[in-house]
């Protein structure tokens, strides 16, 4: 069922269709189409006007985002530092246990 079937070609067919001769055609020129009239530009969107209250809200929101992202990054750095320190202490304890065991014999 899953075996591929290779097509067989008992007799080579060669070129089945004789080459076609391409004959040049005449080019018919149509009268020039006048240029379209320019379209009036769409009305521009109104600009955003920031009130003093909106500016204060944006600054406060930006500050809050920076503080939250900073706290997350600092906590991740602290977690990595604590993990590295605990691994270093474990390595020292294991090394001292191994060396103390070999000195007793």
């Amino acid at each position: 069922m899953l075996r591929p079937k290779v097509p067989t070609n008992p007799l080579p067919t060669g070129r089945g269709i004789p080459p076609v001769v391409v004959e040049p055609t005449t080019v018919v020129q149509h009268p020039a189409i006048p240029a379209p009239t320019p379209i009036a530009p769409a009305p521009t969107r109104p600009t955003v006007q920031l009130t003093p209250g909106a500016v204060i809200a944006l600054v406060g929101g930006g500050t809050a985002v920076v503080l939250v992202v900073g706290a997350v990054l600092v906590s991740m750095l602290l977690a990595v530092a604590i993990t590295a320190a605990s691994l270093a202490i474990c390595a020292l304890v294991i090394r001292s246990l191994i060396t103390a065991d070999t000195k007793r014999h």
Side-chain angles (χ1 to χ4, degrees):
M1 180 176 156
L2 298 175
R3 301 177 98 190
K5 295 180 181 179
V6 179
T8 58
N9 190 5
L11 298 173
T13 58
R15 211 168 185 175
I17 302 172
V20 178
V21 178
V22 179
E23 297 179 7
T25 59
T26 59
V27 177
V28 177
Q29 300 237 347
H30 296 285
I33 299 173
T37 58
I39 300 172
T44 58
R45 296 188 327 195
T47 57
V48 177
Q49 295 180 357
L50 294 176
T51 61
V55 171
I56 292 173
L58 284 175
V59 170
T63 303
V65 167
V66 167
L67 289 176
V68 168
V69 169
V72 168
L73 292 177
V74 168
S75 64
M76 288 172 59
L77 179 65
L78 186 60
V80 169
I82 290 172
T83 304
S86 64
L87 284 176
I89 291 171
C90 288
L92 287 175
V93 169
I94 291 173
R95 189 177 78 175
S96 68
L97 287 175
I98 291 173
T99 55
D101 191 35
T102 57
K103 286 183 181 177
R104 268 192 254 171
H105 287 80

